[in-house]
Amino acid sequence: MTAVTGPSTGAVDVERYWRDGFLFPLRVVDAEQAQQWRAELEATEAEWSVPGRLPAPFADYARVGFHVVCATAARIAQDDRVLDVIEAVLGPDLMVWAAELIVKEPHSPKV
């Protein structure tokens, strides 16, 4: 294992990332912060899912450009704790291009 350590990440298994293309699970924030972000994301989803509020269905924005309709998504993407993990793997030269949300509702057959 080639591990690097970020300020708030502990050891990050870089080899596993490059082999598998992802790292999971990684605890980046505590349960309270995660619950707060979830509540904010769900509130945004409820607010913007009202027909006619957006030019396209809300789900379209969740996959592309979610940061445009959801300030919480932008804040998560720019959070130092999140960026520390990414920087530990990719290095310090980062630019957040977009935020995307992939939602798998409980008991949904959709992937």
Side-chain angles (χ1 to χ4, degrees):
M1 172 174 125
T2 302
V4 293
T5 303
S8 63
T9 61
V12 176
D13 187 349
V14 177
E15 280 180 12
R16 189 167 52 110
Y17 171 79
W18 289 109
R19 183 191 67 227
D20 300 340
F22 64 93
L23 289 173
F24 178 84
L26 290 175
R27 185 169 299 273
V28 178
V29 297
D30 60 30
E32 184 178 328
Q33 179 65 73
Q35 186 57 42
Q36 179 183 343
W37 283 344
R38 179 180 178 168
E40 291 175 20
L41 293 170
E42 289 175 343
T44 300
E45 180 181 17
E47 177 185 353
W48 288 104
S49 291
V50 175
R53 293 288 310 260
L54 294 169
F58 176 80
D60 290 356
Y61 293 94
R63 290 299 307 225
V64 178
F66 192 51
H67 61 290
V68 175
V69 296
C70 181
T72 302
R75 280 197 321 275
I76 293 169
Q78 297 173 51
D79 188 277
D80 286 339
R81 295 163 293 187
V82 173
L83 292 173
D84 283 348
V85 173
I86 298 165
E87 184 175 336
V89 175
L90 300 180
D93 235 359
L94 301 173
M95 178 178 75
V96 177
W97 184 262
E100 180 177 327
L101 183 66
I102 301 171
V103 177
K104 170 68 170 84
E105 299 290 354
H107 312 292
S108 169
K110 295 182 179 181
V111 177

